[in-house]
């Protein structure tokens, strides 16, 4: 056992929910730090150096969204929001503030554990990993060579299509909001041009998906944005 257990910070005020989460995470080999308030959670997030944060939104002394806003300038630690609020606008706000994932309560523990594994994988493969080759299904994206394959066939993408795909690939599994994708691929002046995204996403699906009308790889998060499925 050379590597220490990843540290998960659970910020959740419901004692029963917290007990269930802590027990499950312990059982799966994680080291757990827990907090029932926004204030203590913020202190632990910066002081205890967690590998992942599970964050409830409704906390007695504040809102998880405010906590995300405060944390993001200080740390890139993955934040998985766990909330009973399932509205698109709550998700959108969380992702725009820099949350990495969002689970609406009630969720299954298996689902949560899967999301934690994805978040940890991202954290260990930082954004600049340009030599990485990403494979999902029969699609292979070579970020070093800037080439894309479906099976053995090379897929020819326009520079913008490639930039959009590469952005999603570098953090596969993570949800990007429309705004984040427009800003990254087209630039900060274009964040209102959501039709660009629709057009280019349709082109990418046409080139990469077996059935572009039922995408399995380039997945829509309704009202929020897109994610590249990575399993
Ligand atoms: Ca709560």
């Amino acid at each position: 056992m050379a590597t220490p257990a990843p540290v998960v910070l659970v910020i959740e005020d419901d004692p029963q929910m917290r007990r269930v989460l802590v027990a499950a995470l312990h059982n799966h080999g994680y080291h757990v730090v827990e907090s029932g308030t926004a204030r203590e959670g913020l202190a632990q997030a910066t002081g205890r150096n967690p590998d992942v944060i599970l964050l409830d939104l409704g906390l007695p002394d504040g809102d998880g969204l405010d906590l995300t806003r405060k944390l993001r300038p200080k740390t890139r630690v993955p934040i998985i929001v766990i909330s009973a609020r399932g509205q698109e606008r709550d998700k959108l706000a969380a992702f725009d503030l820099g949350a990495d994932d969002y689970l609406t309560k009630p969720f299954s523990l298996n689902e949560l554990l899967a999301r934690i594994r994805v978040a940890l994988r991202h954290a260990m493969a930082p954004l600049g990993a340009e030599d990485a080759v990403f494979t999902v299904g029969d699609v292979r994206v070579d970020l070093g060579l800037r080439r894309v394959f479906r099976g053995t066939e090379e897929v020819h993408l326009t520079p913008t299509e490639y930039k959009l795909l590469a952005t999603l690939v570098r953090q596969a599994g993570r949800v990007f909001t429309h705004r984040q994708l427009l800003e990254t691929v087209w630039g900060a002046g274009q964040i209102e041009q959501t039709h660009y995204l629709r057009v280019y996403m349709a082109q990418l699906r046409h080139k990469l998906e077996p059935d572009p009308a039922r995408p399995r790889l380039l997945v829509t998060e309704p009202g929020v944005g897109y994610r590249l499925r990575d399993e």
Side-chain angles (χ1 to χ4, degrees):
M1 299 303 277
T3 48
V7 178
V8 182
L9 169 59
V10 179
I11 306 174
E12 162 68 73
D13 62 320
D14 177 345
Q16 197 182 341
M17 181 77 184
R18 201 165 70 232
R19 212 156 38 234
V20 169
L21 290 175
V22 169
L25 291 166
H26 269 308
N27 283 342
H28 285 82
Y30 294 102
H31 184 82
V32 187
V33 179
E34 52 183 302
S35 167
T37 63
R39 186 194 165 91
E40 192 192 7
L42 182 63
Q44 288 174 330
T46 49
R48 300 290 295 272
N49 201 21
D51 296 292
V52 178
I53 297 176
L54 302 185
L55 177 62
D56 181 29
L57 292 186
L59 296 165
D61 59 337
D63 191 289
L65 293 178
D66 288 328
L67 193 57
T68 307
R69 190 182 290 117
K70 285 181 191 146
L71 278 174
R72 268 301 165 244
K74 301 179 211 260
T75 167
R76 271 304 317 162
V77 60
I79 297 173
I80 301 175
V81 171
I82 48 171
S83 176
R85 301 183 206 161
Q87 306 252 10
E88 285 172 4
R89 62 187 158 84
D90 295 310
K91 293 186 185 175
L92 191 56
F95 285 120
D96 266 337
L97 287 171
D100 295 78
D101 210 339
Y102 197 111
L103 275 171
T104 306
K105 293 174 186 168
F107 50 78
S108 80
L109 283 173
N110 281 339
E111 183 64 24
L112 175 68
L113 292 165
R115 304 290 184 96
I116 290 175
R117 285 194 298 273
V118 169
L120 286 171
R121 207 153 61 228
H122 291 164
M124 284 184 289
L127 288 178
E130 284 299 334
D131 55 342
V133 176
F134 172 86
T135 308
V136 63
D138 66 345
V139 173
R140 187 158 55 91
V141 181
D142 189 321
L143 292 170
L145 298 175
R146 300 174 68 92
R147 292 172 76 180
V148 180
F149 300 87
R150 242 184 104 180
T152 53
E153 297 262 304
E154 180 156 14
V155 181
H156 295 281
L157 300 183
T158 68
T160 302
E161 287 168 357
Y162 179 79
K163 201 169 174 188
L164 178 57
L165 180 64
T167 300
L168 292 162
V169 160
R170 286 191 191 101
Q171 289 183 282
R174 178 194 153 166
V175 174
F176 285 87
T177 64
H178 298 127
R179 169 192 280 265
Q180 288 164 343
L181 288 172
L182 285 161
E183 195 169 348
T184 306
V185 178
W186 283 273
Q190 311 295 325
I191 55 171
E192 304 296 333
Q193 311 296 329
T194 49
H195 62 282
Y196 290 180
L197 258 183
R198 272 200 304 278
V199 168
Y200 277 87
M201 198 57 74
Q203 289 171 195
L204 275 179
R205 281 170 171 162
H206 187 75
K207 290 182 177 181
L208 298 176
E209 298 271 1
D211 181 358
R214 278 191 212 79
R216 302 177 48 167
L217 181 65
L218 297 157
V219 183
T220 300
E221 290 289 323
V224 176
Y226 298 94
R227 82 160 90 207
L228 186 82
R229 191 169 285 161
D230 77 337
E231 77 275 1

